[in-house]
Amino acid sequence: MGSFSNQHGAAIVTAVIKVVQENAKYLSEIDGAIGDGDHGINMNKAVTQAEARLAGQSVDMTTALKTLSDIMMDDIGGSMGPLYGTFFRQMFRVSRDKAEIDAELFNQMLNRALASIKDIGSAKVGDKTMLDTLEPAVLAFEAKQKAGESFASALAAMKAAAEQGRDSTVDMVAKVGRSSRLGERSRGVLDAGAASCCLILCAMADSITELLE
Amino acid sequence: MGSFSNQHGAAIVTAVIKVVQENAKYLSEIDGAIGDGDHGINMNKAVTQAEARLAGQSVDMTTALKTLSDIMMDDIGGSMGPLYGTFFRQMFRVSRDKAEIDAELFNQMLNRALASIKDIGSAKVGDKTMLDTLEPAVLAFEAKQKAGESFASALAAMKAAAEQGRDSTVDMVAKVGRSSRLGERSRGVLDAGAASCCLILCAMADSITELLE
Amino acid sequence: MQRIINDPNLVVEDMLSGFIKCHRDLVSPTQNPRVLKYRQAPIAGKVGIVTGGGSGHKPAFIGYIGKNMVDAVAAGEIFSSPSAKAFYDAFKAADAGNGVACLYGNYAGDNMNVKMAMELAEDDGIAVKTVVANDDVPSAPKSEPEKRRGVAGEIFMWKAGGARAALGGTLDEVIASAQKAIDNTRSIGIGLTPCTIPANGHPNFTIEPGTMEVGIGHHGEPGIEVTDIQTADEMAARMVEAILPDLPFAAGDDVAVLVSGLGATPVMEQYILYNKVEELLAEQNISVYRSYVGNYFTSLEMMGVTLTVMKLDAELKELMDMEADSIGLKQFKE
Amino acid sequence: MQRIINDPNLVVEDMLSGFIKCHRDLVSPTQNPRVLKYRQAPIAGKVGIVTGGGSGHKPAFIGYIGKNMVDAVAAGEIFSSPSAKAFYDAFKAADAGNGVACLYGNYAGDNMNVKMAMELAEDDGIAVKTVVANDDVPSAPKSEPEKRRGVAGEIFMWKAGGARAALGGTLDEVIASAQKAIDNTRSIGIGLTPCTIPANGHPNFTIEPGTMEVGIGHHGEPGIEVTDIQTADEMAARMVEAILPDLPFAAGDDVAVLVSGLGATPVMEQYILYNKVEELLAEQNISVYRSYVGNYFTSLEMMGVTLTVMKLDAELKELMDMEADSIGLKQFKE
Ligand SMILES: Nc1ncnc2c1ncn2[C@@H]1O[C@H](COP(=O)(O)OP(=O)(O)O)[C@@H](O)[C@H]1O
Ligand SMILES: Nc1ncnc2c1ncn2[C@@H]1O[C@H](COP(=O)(O)OP(=O)(O)O)[C@@H](O)[C@H]1O
Ligand SMILES: [Mg+2]
Ligand SMILES: [Mg+2]
Ligand SMILES: [Mg+2]
Ligand SMILES: [Mg+2]
């Protein structure tokens, strides 16, 4: 079923950094349609600071996740600071002291991250937020993992669900966050947080899949 | 040689009002090239206020000139308030108590107007101002008048000299007023005050010519 | 972009650095580069007043630091909430042991960051209570006040809360005064041009020339109606009509009025708007007790204007009348 | 035109009317609708301070009416000198029998109208003396100071003259202090976008996007150089280098610095510029005694900025330190 070592797992964070950097403009454009157009800027600033802080160091996954979380909480602010801050923080907390990360542990990491975001943001599926990507993706991973399928196939299911979840936001009316004030007029475009969450989950999945090989 | 009655001479002021109103945008555009682009606005405001104050009244030329001058001095400001204010004021002062306006009197009116503008503005021919129109125009009128030619032909000479004077400003470098700070870069375009002065002198000449017929 | 900046990603850093240099007599830096405080803060015996929010709204937020106003401010990125850590550090900078009133605007990011900062403060034993400004009428129906944004009315909230704290009010009294101020305040904005976040390089929304957007938010959040541009008098009527029935304001009321430009609209035009606003209020027998016109709460170089009206009782009058010395609001005692 | 106006030909009237409504506590109308005065003016025993100029420069000129500042202002059309009558009426509104200091900027129209107004005042026995501000370095070479324009340095001239008058100075003393202030002041502007006189409907000059105009005037008078737009730090260096050698300022000098936006440039950016200006001055061992950043003297909705530096001696420090209460400049006594 596979696992990868925490020691080499920082590659996951590297992948997150890269995918956000490459998509910063795209994310701001999405946010511009019904938000204030800064989502890519916010995310890019966070990952680029993490990149700088991690540069030249060889740390494990837990440490890299903590670094990203600290920057989110201390320096980023916005909605993303607390939301992704808590997301990466729970992942770091669950994986702390674990040498090997298997599907079961990763499932715990995902679930704790999901729960904390729901707690701080008080949003739910259907509200047109990153949760519309995250919750179905976590559930899809869990279903495969509980069914005893391989780590890699659970990751593949997570990716597919994340993409579907992201796309589901197009037809939603925003219920929380900046765009919620638009009511019906927020319908018809992607949610920025759902898009970034999808990019991040897919980048994580891809880099774990590589680590598993 | 001809003359016209002060009583019917308000037509001259009406002609000035009309020509300025029709050329307001043109004058602002000229001023925009090397000044601040408001010459047409300033002049238009003055004549339009004069139009309103004179509306429905049948006044003589002297009164109409005084009205225009008062508005220039009290309400217009800018450079035009004092310059054209004093211009029309001298014309009104010279013509006050005169029933008939002949070429000799008009020559006095012009000369006093010219002198007062030179006094208040301290500019001279060649400085790229309204004086480059006014001074040659006044001199041309005087030459014909002194030579005993008809009022109408003196007016025609004044018009021709005014137009030539106006055009002479194209190749000048501004020495006074807003544009003077540009130095060499003020060369190559008309001076706004020279343009308005030409319009005004020609409108006066044309309406007097009509009155003389 | 016709802007006076260096690295577009560092505009907030550069601005804060210039602000501190310029206003050393009034404002001090703190350990956290994103937190500025009143030079005298924390003031012994006084409740601390904290606010914070995204940058790009000069003089808000840091411009309201000062005497009888705000003690510490957390400054975020352009149009983005400050971090939880920044709010938390601002609480610490403002607290003299009497607790902290965190008076901020209703935005998702600010709500989350303040919530997390309060958890951190609780661990330290710092008492923090909040008032969340929601004066922007067009941002949600009256029945959903929890969805309404905070806009220029925040200034009145800071003024009232800051004055109450200076008068020696307890934390609960400060919170009560600030809450009363914002509960009696209503705002609306009209946008005429979009604005550009320097790091983005282009506007992230459009307002077609010849049109105006009624109800626009301080970050360009879409308004409730886009119409052909109207005269100043018609705009004033549109704004007054949206605000008055919402509280509602009524004949005989005394009010404070704030007309703020959004950044690039000349102050001249704001006075033209105010001229009609006061006339319309007078027609309804509402009299203006205090009035403010100028760029009090902006959105980068957006063109447009906001109108804020606060209904005053004796308490609010006393608080509004108090001397204030901050960059954005200086007021002598009469 | 994305403007908040009614009849474009009546913007000044509408603005003045709103201004008076908004600031009744500080400013009063006079018989002449183009003349406003300090509510307390004329002040017995005090020399009257008068200024005036074209409109469109908010808060200049009327925003500097107030305590220890200007007593009466003549307001012209947008970018056009007030009439001789308006200046004359302002003299009358300010004069308490001790004479009037008319402190204005060097523009042809203002010069002529003030000259004519002084003739009218002479007939009335009102003593009027003038100081003509000419702080704008790029507007003419140092050898032709009589051709230099007056720009934001006028604010320092009013502050110094107003303070001297408030301290009981005679007309000659007030004139001497105001003259000293402006003689020790140098300014330069950089324009980033043009502006539009509402009655014109379109800009009457252009600044290509991506370029900047160094030395631009307050009415868009062309500058001395058009270059590609530079960083804030480079702009600051360009401006400081133009100003310092002209006075000249020297190591050891104490100065007052004013960075003013031209209207549409966010105040955030003005602080970014100031950040570097102070650094550059410090490198030259010139220390900033007082600093002001904000929209103190604007040109409608032009983007850009002016830098003004005044060299201070003990007298000018005392005058700059005095309390002031006007819309545009409020300063508490320390
Ligand atoms: N309460 C919330 N719960 C979950 N996600 C949220 C919440 N509020 C906002 N978001 C997400 O945040 C995204 C916007 O992030 P960003 O643009 O960086 O912050 P801001 O809205 O402060 O400008 C939205 O697209 C949405 O997905
Ligand atoms: N000292 C002067 N003597 C004569 N004409 C002058 C003088 N100064 C300016 N002018 C004229 O004034 C014109 C500009 O007028 P206008 O644009 O209405 O005023 P302003 O320069 O105040 O904007 C110039 O084109 C010039 O002809
Ligand atoms: Mg956003
Ligand atoms: Mg002009
Ligand atoms: Mg944001
Ligand atoms: Mg002009």
Side-chain angles (χ1 to χ4, degrees), chain B residues 37 45 73-74 78 181 185, chain D residues 77 81 83 113 116 147 200 223:
Chain B
K45 187 150 193 166
M73 303 287 245
D74 293 357
R181 280 81 181 215
R185 284 183 298 138
Chain D
E77 272 311 296
S81 173
S83 70
N113 285 293
M116 297 183 72
K147 289 202 172 174
N200 264 359

Side-chain angles (χ1 to χ4, degrees), chain C residues 8-319:
Chain C
N9 293 305
L10 296 177
V11 289
V12 176
E13 281 71 12
D14 288 352
M15 174 271 287
L16 290 173
S17 171
F19 188 87
I20 292 165
K21 282 197 181 81
C22 185
H23 302 300
R24 284 192 186 91
D25 48 334
L26 200 65
V27 167
S28 300
T30 68
Q31 296 276 10
N32 187 329
R34 289 309 184 95
V35 177
L36 302 191
K37 72 175 195 77
Y38 181 36
R39 209 178 140 184
Q40 323 280 354
I43 298 169
K46 191 180 86 71
V47 169
I49 306 287
V50 165
T51 191
S55 294
H57 301 296
K58 278 280 112 355
F61 295 83
I62 52 175
Y64 294 101
I65 292 174
K67 184 175 173 196
N68 299 347
M69 291 289 291
V70 173
D71 291 295
V73 165
E77 270 313 296
I78 303 289
F79 292 178
S80 180
S81 172
S83 71
K85 179 85 169 17
F87 273 112
Y88 167 64
D89 287 339
F91 297 160
K92 288 198 293 186
D95 184 46
N98 303 77
V100 171
C102 180
L103 314 176
Y104 71 101
N106 189 27
Y107 295 92
D110 295 311
N111 285 327
M112 287 187 270
N113 285 294
V114 168
K115 183 174 166 182
M116 295 182 73
M118 286 174 73
E119 284 172 21
L120 296 171
E122 208 182 348
D123 295 347
D124 283 3
I126 302 177
V128 180
K129 296 193 175 183
T130 62
V131 177
V132 188
N134 58 347
D135 51 307
D136 189 32
V137 169
S139 53
K142 192 173 159 66
S143 56
E144 298 180 277
E146 75 287 354
K147 288 202 173 174
R148 283 188 170 174
R149 297 186 287 257
V151 287
E154 295 184 36
I155 297 164
F156 288 164
M157 170 179 72
W158 300 323
K159 178 83 183 74
R164 173 59 66 216
L167 288 169
T170 62
L171 179 53
D172 283 335
E173 287 165 353
V174 170
I175 291 292
S177 293
Q179 187 71 55
K180 186 192 218 177
I182 205 68
D183 285 347
N184 283 284
T185 299
R186 295 294 184 277
S187 298
I188 183 173
I190 287 183
L192 297 175
T193 67
C195 61
T196 295
I197 298 175
N200 264 0
H202 58 85
N204 68 285
F205 62 103
T206 47
I207 299 175
E208 292 301 326
T211 69
M212 63 183 209
E213 185 154 342
V214 179
I216 198 158
H218 265 175
H219 313 88
E221 296 95 334
I224 47 170
E225 197 186 343
V226 175
T227 66
D228 285 350
I229 194 164
Q230 299 183 310
T231 64
D233 286 357
E234 288 163 339
M235 290 185 204
R238 185 89 175 71
M239 296 173 104
V240 167
E241 280 158 23
I243 280 182
L244 294 193
D246 191 84
L247 188 65
F249 295 85
D253 281 354
D254 288 336
V255 296
V257 178
L258 164 64
V259 169
S260 175
L262 286 177
T265 282
V267 176
M268 173 177 80
E269 298 175 25
Q270 301 166 32
Y271 281 111
I272 294 175
L273 187 92
Y274 179 78
N275 189 41
K276 188 65 182 183
V277 167
E278 195 185 292
E279 212 174 289
L280 292 168
L281 292 175
E283 279 172 19
Q284 307 262 339
N285 203 19
I286 295 171
S287 59
V288 179
Y289 179 78
R290 273 197 173 274
S291 45
Y292 304 86
V293 174
N295 293 323
Y296 284 91
F297 206 127
T298 63
S299 300
L300 295 171
E301 86 295 8
M302 214 190 289
M303 281 188 153
V305 74
T306 59
L307 171 64
T308 298
V309 183
M310 175 166 67
K311 178 174 169 164
L312 299 168
D313 62 5
E315 184 199 353
L316 289 174
K317 281 182 193 172
E318 183 197 358
L319 300 175

Side-chain angles (χ1 to χ4, degrees), chain C residues 2-6 17 19 21-24 192 210-211 231-233 269 271 275 278 291 325 330 332, chain D residues 2-6 17-19 21-24 192 210-211 231-233 269 271 275 278 291 325 330:
Chain C
Q2 298 302 86
R3 310 300 276 271
I4 303 175
I5 57 173
N6 297 305
S17 171
F19 188 87
K21 282 197 181 81
C22 185
H23 302 300
R24 284 192 186 91
L192 297 175
T211 69
T231 64
D233 286 357
E269 298 175 25
Y271 281 111
N275 189 41
E278 195 185 292
S291 45
D325 186 8
K330 283 191 206 294
F332 285 83
Chain D
Q2 299 301 86
R3 309 302 275 271
I4 304 176
I5 57 173
N6 297 305
S17 171
F19 188 87
K21 282 196 181 81
C22 185
H23 302 300
R24 285 191 186 92
L192 298 175
T211 70
T231 64
D233 286 357
E269 298 174 26
Y271 280 111
N275 189 41
E278 197 186 290
S291 45
D325 186 8
K330 282 190 207 292

Side-chain angles (χ1 to χ4, degrees), chain B residues 94-115:
Chain B
V94 173
S95 65
R96 187 164 43 183
D97 308 324
K98 305 288 192 259
E100 281 289 309
I101 318 295
D102 61 12
E104 200 192 326
L105 190 78
F106 193 67
N107 184 46
Q108 274 181 47
M109 288 166 66
L110 286 171
N111 270 287
R112 289 278 284 278
L114 171 63

Side-chain angles (χ1 to χ4, degrees), chain B residues 34 126-129 169 172-184 186-187 191, chain D residues 147:
Chain B
I34 54 170
D127 286 353
K128 193 165 185 145
T129 71
T169 62
M172 289 175 184
V173 170
K175 296 271 164 51
V176 300
R178 241 178 248 294
S179 338
S180 67
R181 280 81 181 215
L182 292 185
E184 265 304 322
S186 63
R187 202 193 291 278
D191 172 65
Chain D
K147 289 202 172 174

